[in-house]
Structures are given as C-alpha cells and as structure tokens.
C-alpha cells in the first residue's frame, strides 16, 4: 500500500514538474464550458478511504481505466506507423471487470450520433485509428461503448447538464478515448527507443517494457502477444473527477499482460493495403 502511494505520488510529481512531450496526465477534452462541477480536490478513483456518494465525480466501481491498443498485422489494420484503438475499459480496481451495464443505452449508429453532435473530427479520426480487423467499424464501436462505456458511473446520463441530447454521454466517451489514445503514441515511443517493426529482430519483454517506460516518462504498460509477436498494449490510469472532463493519472500496469518473459518477442511490420 505504501509502495503504491509512493509510485503514484512520484508519477504525479514528475508529470507536474516536467511538461515534456512524454507527459501523459491530461484533461482530454478541451471543452469551452466545464461539463461537470466536480471539485478540483476530489479523490482519485480507486483511492477513497470512505464512501463517496457522488458517483458523477468519482468513477466507481470501475476506477482503474485501461486504454487498450492493438498492433494487428494479420490482417493489418490502420496506418503502418501507428497502433490502433481497442477501447477504454473500467476495471473494478482489482483486475475484475463489470460489463454491459445498461442494455437500454446500447446505442446503434455511433457514426450519426457523433456527426449529429458536432463530433465529426472524432469520427474521422476513429475511421482511421479505431478500426475493426474485418472492416466492421460501426459494430466494433457499438460493442466497446455498450460493453465498457455503459459501466462508467461518471458517464451516467444524470451526470450530464440537463437538456443534453440523448446519447451525448456516448459522444463524450468516444471523444475521451480518442484524446487519451492521442496522448499515448506507442509506435513513436518504441521508435524513439530504436524499436521498429521488423521480420528479423526480436526483443525480450523487459527490453520492450523498459523502452516504453523510458519513452512515456516513467509509466509501464502491460503487453499482450499473439503467436510470439506483440499484439496489444494496455496503458493504465486512475481518474480524478469525471471521465468526460476529469484528469487521467497514469499508473504502472498492476499486472503483466500475457507476453512471455522468457522468450524472444517479435514486433512484425504491417503489410501494405
Ligand atoms: C469508495 O467509494 C465507493 C463508492 O461510493 C464505495 O462503494 C466503496 O465502498 C468506498 N470504499 C471504501 C474503502 O470506503
């Protein structure tokens, strides 16, 4: 417990002290008017010592957020020089998940929901970077929203300003995920450490993790593999305030992904489309 608190404090301290490109504490949405009136000194998710009544300002129970990304090469998805978005998952602070929390808000036609609410830029970005392996982007977005987004307490419709359009909390979800992803350039961070896709080279798990930790400014993610090759990364956060306009505080992954620590790992190139 003490060790966790120290790590967290040093992460926050480092991020505040050095506004470097690697800084990944963020306020994802540049909103002209604040959405929520959450207190600036409220608790960080997963770190309350007493009951917090206002779940619009305290993400619970899913206060451990994973921004998950894919590196798909078979078939290849997305640009050759970028990982792609999988989603943003609320974990119950203990590596268990709640899922599909509100079937009544399992929205369809996410693309129209975004354009109807002025989030065309977000949609355009998603069409390149949040893509399904089989081209079923719309279904993929619907799935990520209904399975994970509907479990976020701070995105409950009652947390939004009165008069918000139906489904607006899902618009905020997609904008937040896109902004978080943009602050987590896994490809560039690896490339900055000399690690680029290759058919020949291989790496140990600890080489990959320490490269990402250095390049990100001190945060260690979790890495998943498929057939001995890098396939996914999870960047972990706690959040202060609302998912929609709170502050995401990066933390080290609380557990390893499934890449083996004892075998060499490939980072394969994507094939051209
Ligand atoms: C933290 O807050 C949540 C939400 O109100 C509550 O369910 C949980 O029991 C609290 N944790 C502690 C240790 O009091």
């Amino acid at each position: 417990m003490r060790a966790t608190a120290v790590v967290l404090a040093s992460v926050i301290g480092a991020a505040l002290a050095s506004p470097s490109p690697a800084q990944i504490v963020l306020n994802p949405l540049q909103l002209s008017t604040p959405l929520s009136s959450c207190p600036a000194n409220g608790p960080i998710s997963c770190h309350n010592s007493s009951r917090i009544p206002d779940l619009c300002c305290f993400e619970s129970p899913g206060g451990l957020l994973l921004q998950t990304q894919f590196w798909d090469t078979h078939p290849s998805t997305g640009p050759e020089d970028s990982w792609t978005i999988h989603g943003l998952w609320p974990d119950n602070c203990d590596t268990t998940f709640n899922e599909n929390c509100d079937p009544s808000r399992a929205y369809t036609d996410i693309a129209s929901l975004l354009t109807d609410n002025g989030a065309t830029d977000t949609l355009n970005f998603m069409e390149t970077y949040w893509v399904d392996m089989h081209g079923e982007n719309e279904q993929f977005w619907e799935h990520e929203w209904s399975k994970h987004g509907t479990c976020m307490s701070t995105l409950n419709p009652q947390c939004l300003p009165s008069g918000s359009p139906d489904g607006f909390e899902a618009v905020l979800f997609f904008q937040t995920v896109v902004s978080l992803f943009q602050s987590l350039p896994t490809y560039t961070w690896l490339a900055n450490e000399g690690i680029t896709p290759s058919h020949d080279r291989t790496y140990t798990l600890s080489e990959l993790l320490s490269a990402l930790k250095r390049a990100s400014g001190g945060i260690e993610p979790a890495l998943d593999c498929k057939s001995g090759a890098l396939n996914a990364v999870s960047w972990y956060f706690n959040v202060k305030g609302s998912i929609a306009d709170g502050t995401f505080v990066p933390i080290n992954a609380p557990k390893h992904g499934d890449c083996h620590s004892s075998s060499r790992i490939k980072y394969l190139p994507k094939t051209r489309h």
Side-chain angles (χ1 to χ4, degrees):
M1 184 64 220
R2 179 177 296 178
T4 313
V6 169
V7 169
L8 192 68
S10 67
V11 164
I12 300 168
L16 289 176
S18 60
S20 68
Q23 176 179 324
I24 51 177
V25 169
L26 48 121
N27 239 325
L29 304 178
Q30 305 300 317
L31 298 167
S32 45
T33 51
L35 261 172
S36 57
S37 45
C38 297
N41 60 353
I44 295 179
S45 60
C46 302
H47 287 72
N48 58 313
S49 53
S50 60
R51 212 192 112 72
I52 308 292
D54 184 1
L55 298 190
C56 290
C57 290
F58 180 74
E59 188 55 52
S60 178
L64 176 61
L65 284 307
L66 288 73
Q67 202 283 294
T68 49
Q69 303 179 9
F70 281 127
W71 180 259
D72 276 324
T73 63
H74 193 73
S76 299
T77 52
E80 284 168 70
D81 61 351
S82 178
W83 291 52
T84 55
I85 302 176
H86 189 171
L88 182 65
W89 306 343
D91 173 305
N92 298 333
C93 309
D94 62 1
T95 69
T96 68
F97 289 92
N98 286 356
E99 295 177 340
N100 299 311
C101 297
D102 186 354
S104 76
R105 292 188 294 126
Y107 304 124
T108 54
D109 201 353
I110 301 296
S112 298
L113 186 65
L114 291 171
T115 45
D116 291 350
N117 285 285
T120 307
D121 289 354
T122 300
L123 177 62
N124 290 343
F125 188 89
M126 288 164 59
E127 281 169 344
T128 303
Y129 293 96
W130 197 340
V131 286
D132 176 68
M133 226 181 196
H134 307 292
E136 307 283 354
N137 294 348
E138 177 61 42
Q139 281 93 320
F140 184 24
W141 302 333
E142 290 171 8
H143 169 87
E144 288 300 312
W145 160 254
S146 60
K147 183 167 175 182
H148 302 288
T150 61
C151 296
M152 293 175 175
S153 72
T154 61
L155 291 185
N156 191 300
Q158 79 202 18
C159 302
L160 270 50
S162 62
S164 296
D166 282 350
F168 194 63
E169 79 282 14
V171 176
L172 297 172
F173 168 81
F174 288 105
Q175 289 184 326
T176 296
V177 183
V178 162
S179 299
L180 260 183
F181 172 78
Q182 289 171 338
S183 76
L184 300 164
T186 306
Y187 183 92
T188 305
W189 282 341
L190 284 172
N192 288 348
E193 297 290 321
I195 298 177
T196 50
S198 158
H199 286 291
D200 312 317
R201 270 175 293 155
T202 57
Y203 303 90
T204 64
L205 179 60
S206 67
E207 281 168 345
L208 293 168
L209 289 177
S210 45
L212 284 168
K213 185 164 188 166
R214 259 194 316 273
S216 68
I219 313 303
E220 185 171 294
L223 293 173
D224 291 316
C225 287
K226 205 154 125 187
S227 310
L230 213 42
N231 177 242
V233 65
S234 301
W235 295 97
Y236 282 80
F237 296 86
N238 292 127
V239 64
K240 196 168 177 177
S242 165
I243 294 280
D245 66 353
T247 299
F248 283 80
V249 179
I251 57 170
N252 290 329
K255 60 168 191 175
H256 279 303
D258 66 10
C259 292
H260 289 234
S261 57
S262 54
S263 50
R264 309 274 318 171
I265 297 167
K266 293 177 204 157
Y267 180 25
L268 293 172
K270 294 188 187 180
T271 48
R272 279 179 195 282
H273 294 280

